[in-house]
Amino acid sequence: MTDAALHDPLDRPAASRSAKPEWFDPAGPTLLGQTCTTCRAVFFPPTSEFCQNPACEGETFDIVPLSRRGTVWSWTTNHYKPPAPAVSAEPFVPYTVVAVELAAEGLVVLGQLSDTTPAVAVGDGVELVAETLLVDDLGEQLVWRWALEPKDGGER
């Protein structure tokens, strides 16, 4: 991955920066995946230097936006603070992690459940939202989370 992919592609002020700019663009909000230019397989996170398809020897990739909607595949609640280098709020509050099968790609992507969504069940439709992870001396760090899709199918 090039150094260019490690900074905010939209050069937003630090007040609203992504916690993982090479994985997530909060302006969309959009997860950024990687597609092999040889076999077109799609991966997330976009950190591979070789194709993850065992039948392919590709070594070049394009960065692609991934689906913003998907279906809950599984979920669990974390009751323990994650170890460094992970960042979590102080004081620590248990949070739910959902595995979401992306609508178009069929990939399963992990992410926290939004605080605005009290609970989910396997099979629920969810959409990607940008929320505050933490506020530090540099401003607000945004992270992706999953929230229940609006019942009318519209935007949140």
Side-chain angles (χ1 to χ4, degrees), residues 39-118:
C39 72
R40 304 312 298 167
V42 180
F43 315 106
F44 181 83
T47 55
S48 294
E49 295 180 15
F50 59 90
C51 185
Q52 295 179 26
N53 174 354
C56 180
E57 295 182 8
E59 295 181 348
T60 57
F61 307 92
D62 291 327
I63 299 296
V64 295
L66 301 177
S67 300
R68 294 181 54 200
R69 294 182 181 210
T71 304
V72 174
W73 187 73
S74 182
W75 63 270
T76 190
T77 300
N78 290 346
H79 293 278
Y80 299 97
K81 184 176 180 176
V87 178
S88 61
E90 292 294 338
F92 175 75
V93 176
Y95 59 93
T96 299
V97 174
V98 290
V100 175
E101 184 174 6
L102 300 182
E105 298 84 358
L107 289 175
V108 176
V109 175
L110 296 178
Q112 289 185 16
L113 185 64
S114 171
D115 291 340
T116 65
T117 299

Side-chain angles (χ1 to χ4, degrees), residues 133-145:
L133 175 64
L134 61 88
V135 178
D136 60 16
D137 293 340
L138 299 174
E140 181 180 44
Q141 277 192 7
L142 299 175
V143 68
W144 77 87
R145 292 196 175 128

